[in-house]
Amino acid sequence: ATLRGDYGYLLNSKSELLHRLYYECTVNLLRPRIIVDYEREPYILAAGDVRLTFDKNIRAGIDGFDIFDKDIPTVETMDPGTLVMEVKYTEFLPNIVRNILTSSTALYVESSKYILCCDKMLHTRGFNA
């Protein structure tokens, strides 16, 4: 099943969220613009209400739009071994995290996994896609 066609497999779930997704997709003919797939290692620090995530193996899904297809073909968007760290906090940034962020060994760039995948698809499918 793909999101272009039959959504019936969503109804087999006990999740109300997936039932709503099924409804929205079928009634409004929704499908994703791009599939963004990655491996994530999350950490939470209670001090400062900090969430650290490390994402790697960031890939763009190609030739399909089924967000639940574990076997969808993908292409890499970054060099192998690249690790993306996200830091989100609401109160304050603890020194242990601040010290990581000021390390001279890290490369700092603003990045969006969505934009990386969209750019990769433009290059993969051609700029007229």
Side-chain angles (χ1 to χ4, degrees):
T2 67
L3 285 180
R4 286 188 223 172
D6 179 25
Y7 302 99
Y9 63 96
L10 294 175
L11 291 177
N12 293 330
S13 171
K14 295 178 181 175
S15 168
E16 180 62 30
L17 176 62
L18 290 182
H19 289 194
R20 290 194 66 191
L21 176 62
Y22 170 84
Y23 175 80
E24 292 296 327
C25 288
T26 54
V27 169
N28 296 309
L29 302 174
L30 300 178
R31 70 176 176 92
R33 165 81 168 94
I34 188 84
I35 303 271
V36 177
D37 195 18
Y38 52 92
E39 297 170 30
R40 172 168 277 180
E41 192 171 329
Y43 295 92
I44 297 191
L45 297 171
D49 192 22
V50 178
R51 187 183 79 156
L52 293 171
T53 56
F54 296 92
D55 298 335
K56 64 181 180 180
N57 199 15
I58 301 169
R59 303 171 307 279
I62 56 173
D63 297 330
F65 293 99
D66 184 348
I67 60 175
F68 300 104
D69 182 358
K70 294 182 187 318
D71 298 317
I72 192 169
T74 60
V75 291
E76 294 284 334
T77 62
M78 301 177 80
D79 292 333
T82 301
L83 187 67
V84 175
M85 180 176 80
E86 291 180 3
V87 179
K88 297 180 180 175
Y89 62 98
T90 58
E91 296 174 25
F92 65 93
L93 191 60
N95 283 336
I96 189 167
V97 178
R98 190 178 309 279
N99 291 340
I100 292 170
L101 295 176
T102 57
S103 168
S104 62
T105 61
L107 172 66
Y108 299 99
V109 294
E110 290 185 17
S111 179
S112 161
K113 291 181 285 291
Y114 174 78
I115 296 298
L116 287 171
C117 290
C118 286
D119 286 350
K120 188 60 155 189
M121 291 317 325
L122 283 174
H123 285 88
T124 302
R125 293 183 178 161
F127 289 99
N128 295 325

